[in-house]
Amino acid sequence: MQRIPALQGLRALAVLLVVIYHAWPAALPGGYLGVDVFFVISGFLITSLLLRELDRSGTIDFAEFYARRIRRLGPALVVVTLAVMGGSWLFHAPMERKMLTSAAVATLAYLSNFWYASSATDYLAEGQHDNALLHSWSLSVEEQFYLVWPGLLWLLTRGTPSRRRLAVGIAALCAVSFVVCLYLMSWAQPWAFFASPTRAWEFGAGALVSLLTGHRIERALSGPVWQWASMAALLGCAFLFSATTAHPGVITVLPVVATGMLLMGLSQPTSRISRTLALRPAVWLGDISYSLYLWHWPILLLTRDIFRLDSPGVLLVAVVVSIGVAQMSYVAVEEPLRHSPRLMGHPARSLLTLGSVSALAIALILGVRWGATKDAAATDQRQYAAATRDRADVYAEDCHADYFETEPKKCTRGDEAASDVMVLLGDSHAAHWAPALDVAAERLHMRLLTYTKSACPAPVFEPFDASLGRAYAECSAWGRKVLREIAELHPRVVVLSLSRGYLDHLTPGAMARWQAGVASASTQLAKVADRVVVMADVPRPGFSVPNCLARAAWRGVDGDRLCSFDTAHEAHETARMWPARALSMGGAAFIETASLVCGTSPCRPMHDGMIRFADTNHLTASFSGSLASSLFEPLRVAIDPASSGGVTVQTGAR
């Protein structure tokens, strides 16, 4: 197929959207749409190539098609995957390397999209967003499309072929894919996001554009007004979409259609947009776009995660380095193997050679996994892996409601024979206090009942859950049922504890709703309980403490220094989350936890041989249990207003 310079420029735009989003997400919150642009371009190109082959020969040479695809995509992916594993060997602790090997094998098998989808709603799963191969999901989606699409086109063109019949068939497939996508968005967004069947309609949109080549519709929509409108729509979506956008969904149609219309404009190489996209720098960046997509994320993650550097200037250097590495990869890996005389024209040799290289790489990665498993079992590493599993019993005993559960579950703790009841209510940041409150409740001669649910701040408000890609309706349903049960119990005290992670993406208006929710929750709970106690959220390290300690031990570095973090900002965040006015309206007492958990700033990762955090923000059960004595007095004072001297209780430093 004839090389189209402007098409390479459109690829450059797509990869720039993704790179800017990954480096500076606040600057371009919808930059992830660059992946959708790639999907539409792939559907357009592959369909155009296959239709030309069908017109020329009446059939499709499947072996040659797959050989071209593996020569195009396979070598660079193998090199990047092995480079990531090499970097992991140098910088990661054994347990981190072990986790990464699973992603690496899934990547080389082109199944990583399903691997990530299956773990995306595991609320306690660690390391998914810090996975250096996370971006490989889109490559798996593309490969799965390439695997199926030639056969579908071949079937749709059997008998008496016509472009109209082909267009109807592709449109029908797009409609089915889109409906399935919308259905999954309503209850399992990760599968809608990662799965290839739910993304097929985007490839199909590009395929439909290829069928319009030379048609009057293409001529009508390739004019300058339509082209400028399409570019404005695409860039507007990149700036206006965000982590809270229901994507992929109905709104995703806009950037997909905009991309399709820009592709139509490529038939007018003299238009201003086509000439701009065909500029030499844009074409060059489009040429290396695949390598840049592969390399930029691991390099950015290495900069942020390993070196703990994320200033705009440092990240700009990381992006420049990514471009340089991508250029070298393009020249030394992509192009030589893609156009190798020994492989071109020999599909069986291409498939066998590159398939063997991938299999060898997988075998090597499995060897790394074996070594990492052995190293992780060493005495100095075992405690860090154990800390990641050191969770409150409410999880093991199935007393904690997961994402899609709406029925209340409760565990009974404390003095189980007592008549006075203490209720622990909230999300996972309430659940991690269960070991401490278990002991405290027993000393207070109270029966402790736990009502907790993943990522659910009920009854404060219904959050938008980024993992689900929609409003968290299950949270509200669960909260209403829990409030009814609590009303029937008429407890002596309700202890409410919530993560402040819900505030990360709140607008000023949403913050106002949060504060109103705080007041409303305090008032509702005060009607059914003698006393309401709010526990502030714990300080947030912002990194996995066990992983950090494991790395420090593995590299012979002082973990106490490397893995400590500042808590000076905790007072501001606490005041922002729990406004005193809202709490006083509901008559709730308040327990500050930063000094209880960390003592003075900086917060050290360990205390008396115990690791404080199981991940980036949850306490280990062991450390939580050790806080029972420190928590007892503030809790007793909070429950008894006569001895509190007010509604605010500060914990003593530890």
Side-chain angles (χ1 to χ4, degrees):
M1 187 174 179
Q2 183 180 0
R3 176 181 168 86
I4 306 173
L7 183 58
Q8 296 303 92
L10 190 56
R11 278 182 165 144
L13 175 62
V15 79
L16 278 178
L17 291 177
V18 175
V19 171
I20 294 172
Y21 168 71
H22 283 156
W24 306 283
L28 197 66
Y32 53 77
L33 290 173
V35 171
D36 301 84
V37 175
F38 276 125
F39 288 166
V40 178
I41 292 174
S42 293
F44 171 78
L45 274 177
I46 295 304
T47 304
S48 298
L49 287 166
L50 292 173
L51 289 179
R52 291 191 180 204
E53 184 176 357
L54 282 166
D55 290 341
R56 184 178 64 251
S57 64
T59 188
I60 294 174
D61 187 338
F62 290 94
E64 178 59 30
F65 173 81
Y66 295 128
R68 287 198 306 267
R69 291 297 90 205
I70 196 170
R71 288 201 309 272
R72 171 75 175 89
L73 302 177
L77 182 63
V78 170
V79 170
V80 170
T81 304
L82 292 179
V84 166
M85 292 308 305
S88 180
W89 182 271
L90 289 174
F91 296 107
H92 284 160
M95 65 179 185
E96 294 177 282
R97 290 204 307 273
K98 182 180 177 181
M99 287 190 292
L100 189 58
T101 56
S102 298
V105 170
T107 295
L108 293 180
Y110 292 105
L111 294 171
S112 63
N113 59 324
F114 292 112
W115 190 78
Y116 289 118
S118 65
S119 59
T121 53
D122 181 358
Y123 188 66
L124 297 177
E126 272 297 294
Q128 296 309 321
H129 296 290
D130 293 333
N131 191 312
L133 294 171
L134 176 62
H135 63 322
S136 69
W137 73 270
S138 64
L139 305 179
S140 295
V141 170
E142 288 218 19
E143 280 297 321
Q144 290 156 21
F145 165 74
Y146 297 148
L147 182 65
V148 173
W149 197 245
L152 285 174
L153 286 186
W154 183 83
L155 288 173
L156 289 172
T157 55
R158 292 303 84 201
T160 305
S162 74
R163 292 299 173 96
R164 182 183 295 274
R165 191 180 73 177
L166 188 57
V168 170
I170 293 175
L173 290 171
C174 288
V176 172
S177 170
F178 189 63
V179 169
V180 173
C181 176
L182 296 182
Y183 172 72
L184 287 179
M185 279 292 292
S186 66
W187 64 274
Q189 189 267 354
W191 286 97
F193 186 90
F194 287 114
S196 48
T198 56
R199 294 295 193 134
W201 67 274
E202 298 184 51
F203 294 92
L208 289 173
V209 172
S210 74
L211 290 174
L212 292 174
T213 301
H215 195 278
R216 64 177 182 275
I217 295 177
E218 183 193 51
R219 292 192 294 272
L221 297 178
S222 59
V225 174
W226 288 108
Q227 290 297 290
W228 284 112
S230 300
M231 181 63 77
L234 180 58
L235 295 179
C237 289
F239 280 102
L240 297 176
F241 280 34
S242 69
T244 61
T245 302
H247 170 78
V250 173
I251 198 168
T252 311
V253 171
L254 181 57
V256 167
V257 170
T259 303
M261 291 177 65
L262 285 171
L263 287 170
M264 290 182 191
L266 299 183
S267 63
Q268 304 292 331
T270 59
S271 72
R272 186 177 296 274
I273 284 185
S274 291
R275 292 202 308 269
T276 302
L277 291 174
L279 290 174
R280 185 170 296 179
V283 173
W284 166 73
L285 193 59
D287 287 342
I288 67 168
S289 60
Y290 175 59
S291 283
L292 179 56
Y293 181 82
L294 285 176
W295 284 104
H296 83 281
W297 177 244
I299 291 174
L300 284 172
L301 203 63
L302 183 74
T303 304
R304 283 187 174 125
D305 187 40
I306 305 297
F307 300 121
R308 305 279 287 277
L309 298 170
D310 61 355
S311 68
V314 169
L315 293 176
L316 179 59
V317 172
V319 169
V320 172
V321 169
S322 300
I323 294 173
V325 174
Q327 171 65 22
M328 290 188 290
S329 176
Y330 176 74
V331 171
V333 178
E334 265 195 76
E335 287 297 280
L337 288 170
R338 183 183 180 187
H339 301 296
S340 168
R342 293 181 57 83
L343 298 179
M344 289 182 67
H346 303 281
R349 185 183 298 171
S350 295
L351 294 170
L352 180 61
T353 301
L354 295 174
S356 298
V357 170
S358 296
L360 183 62
I362 289 174
L364 182 61
I365 291 166
L366 292 176
V368 171
R369 183 180 182 86
W370 176 83
T373 302
K374 183 179 178 181
D375 291 338
T379 303
D380 65 334
Q381 289 289 312
R382 200 180 308 147
Q383 61 176 324
Y384 308 121
T388 64
R389 301 187 297 270
D390 190 6
R391 308 285 183 177
D393 288 344
V394 295
Y395 296 102
E397 296 178 9
D398 195 28
C399 304
H400 178 82
D402 210 341
Y403 269 109
F404 304 115
E405 294 177 307
T406 59
E407 292 301 317
K409 297 179 175 182
K410 62 177 181 289
C411 280
T412 304
R413 294 285 190 275
D415 185 350
E416 297 186 22
S419 56
D420 284 345
V421 173
M422 176 189 297
V423 169
L424 173 61
L425 174 64
D427 53 19
S428 61
H429 282 227
H432 68 190
W433 283 113
L437 289 176
D438 181 6
V439 178
E442 188 166 11
R443 288 182 60 186
L444 289 166
H445 303 294
M446 291 185 179
R447 181 160 41 105
L448 174 66
L449 299 180
T450 62
Y451 288 96
T452 59
K453 177 174 171 62
S454 291
C456 181
V460 174
F461 80 152
E462 181 177 88
F464 179 94
D465 193 286
S467 295
L468 299 176
R470 57 174 171 80
Y472 193 6
E474 292 88 348
C475 174
S476 297
W478 175 85
R480 289 191 294 270
K481 294 176 182 179
V482 166
L483 282 177
R484 286 197 292 269
E485 288 199 14
I486 292 176
E488 293 174 0
L489 290 168
H490 195 76
R492 174 78 183 280
V493 60
V494 173
V495 178
L496 178 66
S497 183
L498 303 172
S499 166
R500 69 163 181 265
Y502 311 107
L503 307 188
D504 290 344
H505 305 291
L506 288 188
T507 62
M511 176 62 75
R513 290 195 297 274
W514 169 273
Q515 294 178 354
V518 170
S520 175
S522 300
T523 302
Q524 289 181 68
L525 292 171
K527 291 178 181 178
V528 298
D530 295 341
R531 191 67 172 151
V532 178
V533 177
V534 173
M535 294 186 68
D537 194 13
V538 297
R540 285 176 166 254
F543 56 89
S544 172
V545 172
N547 285 357
C548 183
L549 288 169
R551 284 182 199 169
W554 186 249
R555 294 160 59 185
V557 178
D558 180 9
D560 194 55
R561 177 185 60 80
L562 181 66
C563 305
S564 294
F565 62 96
D566 179 41
T567 59
H569 66 292
E570 296 300 323
H572 170 73
E573 292 298 325
T574 297
R576 190 167 74 109
M577 182 176 182
W578 299 112
R581 180 174 174 274
L583 290 171
S584 62
M585 285 171 60
F590 183 75
I591 296 180
E592 180 271 331
T593 64
S595 58
L596 176 69
V597 171
C598 290
T600 58
S601 186
C603 186
R604 302 187 184 280
M606 299 186 70
H607 177 78
D608 288 345
M610 287 176 289
I611 299 174
R612 282 185 159 102
F613 291 87
D615 51 28
T616 63
N617 59 100
H618 295 94
L619 301 178
T620 60
S622 300
F623 180 64
S624 174
S626 75
L627 296 176
S629 297
S630 301
L631 181 61
F632 173 76
E633 186 61 22
L635 187 61
R636 184 190 66 78
V637 173
I639 293 172
D640 183 4
S643 63
S644 69
V647 297
T648 301
V649 178
Q650 297 291 333
T651 63
R654 181 178 174 79

